[in-house]
């Protein structure tokens, strides 16, 4: 039997949970020290003992666990997960019906009432991400529910809960047949090579799908494009397919070279006529300034935090400077695509960095359009901070 603990909610936070807030955070609890074993069922109660909600204990950077139901009589068992997954799948029905896109998210954590757990589809394979040991303790129920509801060849998982909340190195195979990698999935008709058993990152970040599409359809034609922090070169491939005259992809990781060659080749693009550099982006900016290189479109999609030999980049502190370096190598009338998945600030704040960067470089700009998480990355109005993605298309007018 699973442990169960009654934990009192601080009076001032009671309303928040009654209104559907899903994250159980430490400051909200009167007696958080009662929680010891990951996966313990938490009965959130008022200081007078009245039921508020039921969830589980699972430590991740965001908090102590997640509320799963506001119904005192609902038990958290396989049937519970079948129910949640059924709804989640129903919501993605249009995605399943589109043969041009075979990779998308089917469960997005608290957005689907299952905080701490995400599930992505890659063709006939499914990938579960567990964000805490507590979330992982529901593995049997979740995997059984998934098996009941989808046609699948295989199921893989990522355990993202070592002491620092990072990926735990392991054999990630769970059930069904092992896949042959790369698995070639489709996104709006474009091919992607995906590896489900090679560490935390599988080759594509699905949340940028609409951004890639609009770059291809609306912005790339005739442009010289610089794609920084390019990883497998996804933005470069879409830009090239959209008619970019040339792309330069820059990433520090050695693996990015072969992976980018692979993505170009899969889509029939001659990678030798593109520029793929394994290099520190900040070093590249200096090189570009020295050589007087300018681009018609620069894509910025850095990680929230990165450390290279010479540089530490933190989206919290350094985004403005990243933009300033970018402005210097962007043509007048050029486009800057500024993206961040850092959840510590919202779109409004992100735009203040953009404004400051242009002010400090004496330039003028125009905001063209913006993106947050796509439909399949479902979020709820009760937990706005779950919508971490911020992408802004900026036109540099001059300066
Ligand atoms: N934009 C990519 C995803 C970026 S993931 C996409 O759309 O698929 C972040 C990438 O930044 C990683 O591949 C990492 O190797 C790279 N990176 C981190 N610090 C860097 C630096 N200083 N210079 C270049 N690349 C860096």
């Amino acid at each position: 039997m699973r442990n169960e603990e009654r934990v009192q909610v601080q009076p001032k936070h009671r309303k928040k949970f009654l209104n559907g807030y899903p994250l159980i955070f430490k400051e909200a609890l009167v007696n958080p020290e009662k929680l010891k074993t990951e996966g313990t069922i938490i009965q959130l109660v008022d200081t007078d003992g009245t039921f508020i909600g039921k969830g589980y204990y699972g430590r991740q950077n965001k908090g102590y666990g997640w509320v799963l139901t506001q119904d005192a009589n609902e038990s958290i068992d396989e049937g519970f997960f079948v129910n949640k997954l059924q709804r989640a799948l129903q919501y993605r029905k249009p995605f399943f019906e589109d043969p041009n896109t075979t990779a998308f998210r089917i469960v997005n954590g608290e957005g689907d009432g299952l905080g701490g757990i995400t599930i992505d589809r890659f063709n006939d394979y499914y990938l579960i991400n567990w964000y805490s040991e507590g979330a992982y303790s529901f593995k049997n129920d979740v995997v059984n529910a998934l098996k009941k509801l989808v046609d699948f060849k295989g199921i893989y998982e990522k355990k993202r809960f070592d002491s620092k909340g990072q990926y735990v190195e392991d054999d990630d195979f769970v059930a069904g047949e092992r896949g042959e990698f790369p698995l070639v999935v489709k996104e709006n008709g474009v091919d992607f090579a995906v590896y489900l058993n090679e560490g935390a990152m599988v080759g594509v970040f699905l949340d940028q799908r609409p951004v890639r599409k609009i770059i291809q359809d609306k912005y790339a034609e005739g442009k010289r494009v610089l794609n920084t922090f390019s990883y497998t070169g996804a933005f470069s491939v879409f830009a090239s397919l959209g008619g970019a005259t040339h792309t330069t992809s820059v990433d520090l990781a050695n693996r990015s070279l072969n992976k980018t060659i692979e993505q170009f080749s899969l889509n029939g693009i001659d990678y030798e006529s593109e520029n793929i550099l394994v290099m520190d982006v900040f070093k590249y900016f200096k090189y570009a300034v020295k050589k007087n290189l300018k681009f018609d479109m620069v894509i910025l999609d850095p990680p929230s935090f990165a450390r290279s030999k010479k540089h530490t980049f933190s989206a919290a502190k350094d985004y403005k400077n990243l933009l300033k370096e970018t402005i210097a190598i962007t043509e007048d009338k050029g486009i800057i695509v500024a993206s961040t998945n850092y959840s510590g600030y919202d779109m409004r704040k992100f735009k203040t960095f953009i404004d400051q960067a242009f002010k400090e470089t004496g330039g003028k700009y125009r905001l063209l359009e913006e993106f947050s998480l796509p439909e399949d990355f479902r979020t709820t109005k009760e937990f706005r901070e779950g919508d971490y993605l911020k992408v802004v298309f900026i036109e540099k007018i001059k300066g």
Side-chain angles (χ1 to χ4, degrees):
M1 257 313 265
R2 205 171 264 282
N3 289 337
E4 201 161 320
E5 284 288 350
R6 278 160 69 89
V7 183
Q8 286 177 359
V9 171
Q10 300 280 7
K12 70 168 179 188
H13 292 299
R14 178 180 160 272
K15 253 231 161 115
K16 203 166 178 167
F17 290 108
L18 287 174
N19 288 336
Y21 190 75
L23 180 66
I24 304 174
F25 53 104
K26 187 179 178 195
E27 301 71 39
L29 307 176
V30 174
N31 41 6
E33 67 289 344
K34 280 176 91 174
L35 295 167
K36 295 203 169 68
T37 315
E38 291 265 330
T40 295
I41 295 290
I42 302 176
Q43 291 266 1
L44 288 179
V45 294
D46 219 333
T47 35
D48 65 14
T50 317
F51 175 84
I52 292 178
K54 195 193 281 193
Y56 73 93
Y57 176 52
R59 291 281 281 273
Q60 61 182 92
N61 60 347
K62 291 174 182 164
Y64 263 46
W66 295 95
V67 177
L68 296 174
T69 176
Q70 290 182 286
D71 174 355
N73 298 318
E74 189 167 23
S75 41
I76 311 303
D77 52 15
E78 192 180 309
F80 170 84
F81 289 102
V82 168
N83 194 358
K84 288 284 186 220
L85 258 63
Q86 236 161 5
R87 289 181 193 205
L89 288 164
Q90 178 64 27
Y91 186 80
R92 277 78 176 181
K93 218 167 158 222
F95 283 86
F96 279 96
E97 285 163 1
D98 176 4
N100 287 320
T101 297
T102 62
F104 50 88
R105 180 151 290 191
I106 63 160
V107 170
N108 193 41
E110 73 288 345
D112 287 287
L114 295 175
I117 302 172
T118 66
I119 310 179
D120 295 328
R121 176 197 172 203
F122 297 98
N123 292 351
D124 303 327
Y125 286 83
Y126 287 84
L127 176 69
I128 310 175
N129 280 292
W130 313 102
Y131 284 91
S132 69
E133 256 183 271
Y136 186 66
S137 73
F138 296 104
K139 175 171 172 174
N140 281 341
D141 289 339
V142 173
V143 170
N144 286 338
L146 188 61
K147 283 179 173 172
K148 278 191 180 149
L149 297 173
V150 296
D151 289 327
F152 69 97
K153 275 206 184 120
I155 299 173
Y156 280 76
E157 69 183 357
K158 304 288 171 201
K159 299 179 206 162
R160 293 172 177 272
F161 50 81
D162 79 355
S163 56
K164 290 198 212 91
Q166 303 282 315
Y167 169 74
V168 181
E169 211 55 63
D170 208 345
D171 176 11
D172 292 333
F173 175 70
V174 177
E177 286 171 34
R178 280 179 185 270
E180 276 186 36
F181 302 115
L183 197 65
V184 178
V185 301
K186 277 205 182 304
E187 179 181 291
N188 291 311
V190 177
D191 286 336
F192 262 118
V194 162
Y195 295 79
L196 298 184
N197 212 359
E198 267 188 20
M201 304 204 290
V202 302
V204 56
F205 290 95
L206 298 176
D207 54 2
Q208 297 276 12
R209 182 189 315 108
V211 181
R212 287 187 282 266
K213 181 160 171 52
I214 204 141
I215 285 175
Q216 178 182 6
D217 292 350
K218 189 165 155 191
Y219 289 98
E221 181 84 54
K223 301 260 170 72
R224 284 162 303 149
V225 178
L226 173 64
N227 179 12
T228 63
F229 307 94
S230 55
Y231 183 41
T232 59
F235 286 122
S236 310
V237 170
F238 277 77
S240 180
L241 292 171
T245 49
H246 188 255
T247 66
T248 300
S249 306
V250 186
D251 195 291
L252 191 58
N254 285 320
R255 60 164 187 237
S256 64
L257 176 61
N258 285 335
K259 299 257 179 206
T260 304
I261 290 175
E262 183 177 38
Q263 304 294 4
F264 274 126
S265 304
L266 261 182
N267 290 288
I269 302 160
D270 175 15
Y271 68 86
E272 289 185 338
S273 53
E274 310 295 325
N275 196 6
I276 309 168
L277 300 170
V278 175
M279 194 177 196
D280 190 320
V281 160
F282 298 98
K283 202 170 150 198
Y284 184 78
F285 281 130
K286 296 205 168 50
Y287 166 84
V289 168
K290 209 166 92 196
K291 297 276 172 187
N292 211 9
L293 299 180
K294 293 244 171 162
F295 295 88
D296 306 310
M297 176 151 84
V298 182
I299 300 164
L300 301 173
D301 182 29
S304 293
F305 190 82
R307 182 172 281 142
S308 64
K309 277 191 205 115
K310 291 236 173 89
H311 251 281
T312 303
F313 173 83
S314 123
K317 293 200 221 93
D318 305 321
Y319 213 109
K320 185 187 76 183
N321 285 334
L322 177 64
L323 281 161
K324 284 168 74 174
E325 301 216 53
T326 305
I327 291 166
I329 59 165
T330 305
E331 293 279 13
D332 287 353
K333 298 215 167 91
I335 306 289
I336 298 170
V337 182
S339 169
T340 183
N341 59 9
Y342 178 63
S343 57
Y345 47 72
D346 62 6
M347 184 62 102
R348 191 185 306 178
K349 178 99 194 207
F350 187 45
K351 286 182 185 165
T352 67
F353 298 148
I354 296 169
D355 195 59
Q356 285 165 6
F358 276 93
K359 282 216 171 92
E360 289 176 25
T361 52
K364 285 210 159 50
Y365 70 101
R366 195 157 65 100
L367 296 181
L368 300 178
E369 53 192 310
E370 57 190 70
F371 290 82
S372 53
L373 284 176
E375 284 277 285
D376 52 328
F377 282 65
R378 190 178 184 182
T379 52
T380 59
K381 61 178 186 326
E382 289 82 15
F383 194 69
R384 294 229 182 263
E385 56 267 51
D387 194 351
Y388 55 82
L389 186 67
K390 295 163 277 289
V391 184
V392 183
F393 283 66
I394 310 156
E395 184 186 14
K396 172 182 164 180
I397 297 174
K398 72 177 178 60

